[in-house]
Amino acid sequence: QVQLVESGGGLVQAGGSLRLSCAPSGRTFSSYTMGWFRQAPGKEREFVAAITAISWSGSVTNYADSVKGRFTISRDNAKMTVYLQMNSLKPEDTAVYYCAAAHSSLNRLRVGGYDYWGQGTQVTVSS
């Protein structure tokens, strides 16, 4: 089955930036809706950002209110990679970040809308 591998996490000071990458296996990456979720200790996994398959007009992106204006999701189908550029990081962004892939874009804001999940990468933001 499809496997997702996240990378790019680490420790950064508040106000800093990180770029997460996710490289799925499989030959149908370009048709997947891709998402990023995060989970802090003791909290439920929450939606961060999503991006649909690229069309003539580009991809549709969605962001959680908490990250809007600071995070940018993008995809490179040639490299079969999805990215999450995180700027102006805050301590409350500290979490394990998960990459996810879905066959359908209809439920891309929900954890239950995704078919495949990575193992996560830790992002820690110090104050």
Side-chain angles (χ1 to χ4, degrees):
Q1 292 187 347
V2 173
Q3 292 198 49
L4 307 176
V5 180
E6 303 98 334
S7 62
L11 175 65
V12 65
Q13 292 184 341
S17 298
L18 286 172
R19 188 181 73 164
L20 306 184
S21 299
C22 175
S25 64
R27 301 178 65 181
T28 58
F29 168 79
S30 61
S31 67
Y32 291 155
T33 288
M34 302 297 298
W36 287 97
F37 291 76
R38 66 188 183 187
Q39 188 166 22
K43 296 185 177 180
E44 293 189 353
R45 193 168 300 185
E46 67 174 356
F47 170 78
V48 175
I51 185 167
T52 64
I54 297 174
S55 69
W56 67 271
S57 59
S59 299
V60 176
T61 58
N62 304 95
Y63 298 94
D65 288 341
S66 59
V67 307
K68 197 169 297 181
R70 300 187 298 119
F71 290 10
T72 303
I73 188 171
S74 62
R75 65 192 299 160
D76 186 333
N77 288 342
K79 295 182 177 180
M80 297 191 296
T81 303
V82 63
Y83 304 96
L84 184 68
Q85 178 67 46
M86 305 185 293
N87 298 325
S88 301
L89 283 162
K90 305 174 181 179
E92 50 263 46
D93 295 318
T94 296
V96 175
Y97 283 70
Y98 296 90
C99 177
H103 293 294
S104 171
S105 65
L106 296 180
N107 296 296
R108 63 186 182 272
L109 307 186
R110 304 184 180 98
V111 170
Y114 289 81
D115 302 291
Y116 311 103
W117 291 86
Q119 295 302 304
T121 184
Q122 177 70 47
V123 171
T124 302
V125 184
S126 62
S127 60

